[in-house]
């Protein structure tokens, strides 16, 4: 009996690990991109359990265990970049960097229905970040945040909404060329601004919060991936350094976020350092990284982490960055390959955005 049970567990583990390879946007497929760590642990458990009933003389057992081990290796390789086994992608800050070149970024999905913000405000007052992006902010949250910390942040971009997609940007640094955009859906905002650092240098901010592939939000991942690729193209075309942050509703290792990084010529501070899981804050066994801070190579990392538990379903995410453009070549991202541009072209065609942005020659020449 136990042998049959372990076989079934192994088959389930193998099936769930392979489902995300199916290139469709249906939520019930894309949702399995998220619990990758949990599925990897489940596969390892299935391997260990099956060894208790393994029969060395049975050829089928060797084939079965080989499939499970193959699935485990595939799963492990997919997230090895977020372990200390690989080199960091965003290098450590220089020791004697100018104080005016340091900037602390902070982002928090507050959970619209949550009414417990005390720990959040206390942490912000202690850390004193320079730039904060709040998501899921309705009018109640907007008024409360302004009352609690508004005086310390003279520059604001506010788009409160009652549909869980409201967004606020609070900054101690000057914001110029500010835009509230609705790139994909008239009810889903994103925010863009040029941020003037204390050293007088600007960078381009893109704050996003696309819809997740969930039946109660959006049965397909197409809209999320559309916003990600539009943001990536904007980053690719930017003439100044870029920071992209917010709740992507996508995990770091997914094809969508990886393509966003590659096309946007962006770096992920988590690579070589850790997962920095931000969701779900209330369920320790079901956590993965949904909130992201991606940077162009002009930035280096002084410190980073996840924030306090304030009864939201997300932990805040924060990073202390240093602006060191003279060292950007030391961590320059790879140029997108022809295959990457082909993926972009397919995504744009699928999302119906071929005519929304100017296509670079690389896409035109990529073919289908």
């Amino acid at each position: 009996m136990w042998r049959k049970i372990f076989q079934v567990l192994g088959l389930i583990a193998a099936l769930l690990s392979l489902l995300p390879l199916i290139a469709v946007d249906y939520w019930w497929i894309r949702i399995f991109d998220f619990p990758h760590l949990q599925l990897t642990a489940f596969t390892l458990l299935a391997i260990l359990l099956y060894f208790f009933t393994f029969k060395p003389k049975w050829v089928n057992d060797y084939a079965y265990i080989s499939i499970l081990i193959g699935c485990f290796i595939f799963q492990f390789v997919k997230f090895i970049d977020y372990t200390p086994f690989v080199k960091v992608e965003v290098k450590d800050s220089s020791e004697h960097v100018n104080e005016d070149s340091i900037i602390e970024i902070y982002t928090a999905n507050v959970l619209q229905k949550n009414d417990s913000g005390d720990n959040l405000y206390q942490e912000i007052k202690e850390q004193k970040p320079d730039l904060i992006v709040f998501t899921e902010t309705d009018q109640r949250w907007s008024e409360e945040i302004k009352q609690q910390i508004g005086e310390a942040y003279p520059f604001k971009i506010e788009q409160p909404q009652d549909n869980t997609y409201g967004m606020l940007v609070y900054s101690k640094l000057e914001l110029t060329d500010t835009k509230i955009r609705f790139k994909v859906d008239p009810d889903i905002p994103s925010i863009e601004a040029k941020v003037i650092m204390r050293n007088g240098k600007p960078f381009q901010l893109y704050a996003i919060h696309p819809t997740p592939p969930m039946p109660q939000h959006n049965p397909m991942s197409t809209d999320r991936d559309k916003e990600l690729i539009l943001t990536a193209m904007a980053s690719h075309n930017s003439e100044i350094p870029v920071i992209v942050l917010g709740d992507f509703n996508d995990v770091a290792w997914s094809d969508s976020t990886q393509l966003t990084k590659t096309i946007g010529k962006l770096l992920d501070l988590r690579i070589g350092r850790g997962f920095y899981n931000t969701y779900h804050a209330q369920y320790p066994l079901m956590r993965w990284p949904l909130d992201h801070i991606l940077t162009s190579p002009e930035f280096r990392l002084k410190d980073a982490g996840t924030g306090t538990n304030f009864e939201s379903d997300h932990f805040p995410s924060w990073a202390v960055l240093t602006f060191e453009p003279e060292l950007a070549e030391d961590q320059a991202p790879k140029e997108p390959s022809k295959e990457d541009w082909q993926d972009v072209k397919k995504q744009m065609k699928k999302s119906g955005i071929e005519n929304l942005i100017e296509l670079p020659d690389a896409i035109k020449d990529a073919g289908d």
Side-chain angles (χ1 to χ4, degrees):
M1 180 185 72
W2 286 111
R3 180 180 172 81
K4 291 293 185 183
I5 292 174
F6 296 159
Q7 285 178 334
V8 171
L9 286 176
L11 289 172
I12 293 173
L15 176 63
L16 295 182
S17 69
L18 296 175
L19 269 177
L21 295 178
I22 302 175
V24 296
D25 291 351
Y26 297 114
W27 73 268
W28 52 273
I29 295 292
R30 296 278 60 88
I31 199 68
F32 288 103
D33 288 325
F34 291 62
H36 194 74
L37 294 172
Q38 291 79 2
L39 291 178
T40 304
F42 184 36
T43 303
L44 179 60
L45 177 63
I47 292 171
L48 296 175
L49 289 175
Y50 196 71
F51 272 119
F52 285 107
T53 61
F54 186 81
K55 296 182 179 181
K57 295 183 179 180
W58 285 36
V59 175
N60 289 346
D61 277 19
Y62 286 100
Y64 176 83
I65 206 70
S66 296
I67 291 172
L68 284 186
I69 291 173
C71 289
F72 175 78
I73 293 173
F74 163 75
Q75 293 167 331
F76 184 76
V77 167
K78 197 165 185 177
F79 67 70
I80 194 173
D81 284 348
Y82 308 94
T83 70
F85 295 113
V86 300
K87 293 181 180 179
V88 297
E89 189 168 77
V90 179
K91 294 187 177 182
D92 293 338
S93 300
S94 303
E95 289 186 11
H96 304 294
V97 68
N98 190 299
E99 289 291 324
D100 288 343
S101 296
I102 299 174
I103 177 171
E104 180 168 350
I105 308 292
Y106 189 101
T107 179
N109 181 317
V110 299
L111 184 62
Q112 183 175 298
K113 65 182 180 181
N114 178 25
D115 59 2
S116 303
D118 290 348
N119 288 346
L120 174 66
Y121 304 132
Q122 183 62 35
E123 180 168 84
I124 289 173
K125 290 172 183 177
E126 290 174 356
Q127 291 193 202
K128 301 176 181 178
D130 300 298
L131 180 75
I132 309 174
V133 173
F134 298 99
T135 53
E136 282 204 35
T137 45
D138 58 7
Q139 191 62 42
R140 175 185 65 86
W141 270 105
S142 180
E143 293 172 0
E144 185 176 299
I145 290 170
K146 185 177 293 186
Q147 180 180 3
Q148 289 286 338
I149 64 169
E151 290 185 4
Y153 293 87
F155 301 97
K156 303 175 180 67
I157 311 172
E158 299 169 292
Q159 181 63 27
Q161 296 184 180
D162 60 5
N163 64 348
T164 74
Y165 289 99
M167 183 180 292
L168 312 175
V169 172
Y170 271 44
S171 179
K172 294 181 179 180
L173 307 173
E174 182 184 357
L175 302 177
T176 66
D177 196 17
T178 62
K179 298 183 181 72
I180 299 173
R181 302 189 61 188
F182 297 84
K183 298 179 182 179
V184 177
D185 187 298
D187 295 320
I188 310 296
S190 62
I191 290 177
E192 301 177 6
K194 287 183 173 63
V195 183
I196 311 301
M197 292 178 282
R198 293 183 181 86
N199 58 15
K201 303 295 184 180
F203 71 85
Q204 180 66 52
L205 170 71
Y206 296 107
I208 63 174
H209 182 205
T211 58
M214 295 286 287
Q216 65 269 36
H217 292 273
N218 196 321
M220 308 285 284
S221 66
T222 308
D223 283 356
R224 179 199 66 188
D225 297 344
K226 180 178 178 179
E227 181 152 356
L228 288 176
I229 205 65
L230 286 170
T231 304
M233 292 300 301
S235 175
H236 179 89
N237 294 326
S238 178
E239 297 180 353
I240 60 174
V242 173
I243 293 178
V244 180
L245 76 161
D247 175 6
F248 286 19
N249 275 314
D250 195 24
V251 285
W253 47 78
S254 79
D255 291 342
S256 300
T257 293
Q258 288 297 310
L259 188 62
T260 300
K261 269 187 58 189
T262 301
I263 298 304
K265 297 183 289 188
L266 298 165
L267 305 176
D268 188 344
L269 60 86
R270 288 169 297 205
I271 290 181
R273 291 189 172 91
F275 295 100
Y276 298 96
N277 292 327
T278 56
Y279 180 94
H280 193 293
Q282 307 309 321
Y283 303 114
L285 294 179
M286 295 299 292
R287 285 185 181 164
W288 40 77
L290 283 191
D291 300 87
H292 305 255
I293 300 174
L294 305 179
T295 73
S296 57
E298 292 84 0
F299 294 95
R300 292 195 166 210
L301 184 69
K302 191 175 183 68
D303 198 7
T306 53
T308 186
N309 188 335
F310 63 103
E311 304 303 322
S312 172
D313 51 351
H314 289 244
F315 292 109
S317 181
W318 57 269
V320 182
L321 304 169
T322 54
F323 183 68
E324 304 183 57
E326 68 279 4
L327 300 177
E329 287 298 321
D330 293 344
Q331 56 181 25
K334 294 180 180 179
E335 287 294 321
S337 66
K338 181 178 179 180
E339 290 74 21
D340 294 324
W341 286 118
Q342 287 173 338
D343 289 341
V344 170
K345 192 171 182 180
K346 290 176 184 176
Q347 181 64 54
M348 292 170 65
K349 186 175 182 180
K350 182 170 58 175
S351 300
I353 57 176
E354 299 105 315
N355 300 321
L356 291 185
I357 51 180
E358 183 178 352
L359 304 182
D361 291 338
I363 291 186
K364 295 175 183 177
D365 298 338
D368 295 323

